[in-house]
Amino acid sequence: MGRAGSAQWAGPTRGAMAAPVRDREALQRLSFLFQAAHWVLPHSPALARFYCSTQRGAARRLVLRMAPSVKRAVCRRCCSLLLPGAGGCVRLRGGGQPHIVLHCQSCRRRRRYLCQQKHRPLDQATPTGPAPEDSPA
């Protein structure tokens, strides 16, 4: 016999409902630290850097993956936020392949990210192509 209070979960099938998030409290703490770093950055950049380094250490200790947008917003060398005008500089560079350059103003580290080209389906006409025959022009 089972223990008292150990009823089985009676609900819809597992596929119909989203799977429960593992380490929900840890993810909430990481989100709070990232938001707190954004909030205190204009007042105290050192405190924002401390919050970001605490966030990175907690994520590494708990073996949690951070979202790519969060990883791009924090410098890997000095853990400062890379927001344009408040600790970072964003440039769009061309040449062979267009790329974005994030430049940390506290440690002078640069990171390059290639720009993703949006692919169009082959059946769509190009914007410079001939006008459709149905249009009144």
Side-chain angles (χ1 to χ4, degrees):
M1 268 188 100
R3 294 182 283 174
S6 64
Q8 284 197 357
W9 182 69
T13 61
R14 193 165 211 191
M17 192 171 150
V21 177
R22 185 178 148 252
D23 297 328
R24 181 178 302 269
E25 293 85 15
L27 291 174
Q28 288 175 349
R29 180 174 182 232
L30 295 179
S31 175
F32 171 77
L33 287 170
F34 188 66
Q35 291 174 9
H38 275 274
W39 190 74
V40 301
L41 181 64
H43 309 292
S44 174
L47 184 60
R49 196 173 309 131
F50 172 75
Y51 286 158
C52 289
S53 65
T54 304
Q55 176 199 19
R56 176 179 289 165
R60 188 174 290 155
R61 185 179 69 244
L62 296 170
V63 193
L64 294 174
R65 291 185 181 182
M66 290 192 294
S69 60
V70 173
K71 287 194 282 189
R72 286 185 179 193
V74 177
C75 178
R76 284 190 174 180
R77 184 182 293 168
C78 68
C79 292
S80 61
L81 283 175
L82 297 177
L83 297 178
C89 181
V90 179
R91 303 271 186 208
L92 183 62
R93 297 289 181 206
Q97 281 187 312
H99 56 273
I100 297 171
V101 179
L102 294 176
H103 180 89
C104 179
Q105 291 179 351
S106 57
C107 71
R108 306 286 187 219
R109 183 180 172 118
R110 293 182 181 177
R111 304 256 337 249
R112 292 179 54 186
Y113 298 103
L114 290 178
C115 294
Q116 298 293 327
Q117 295 180 356
K118 295 186 178 184
H119 299 286
R120 280 194 199 139
L122 296 175
D123 59 337
Q124 276 187 341
T126 61
T128 58
E133 292 137 23
D134 300 350
S135 67

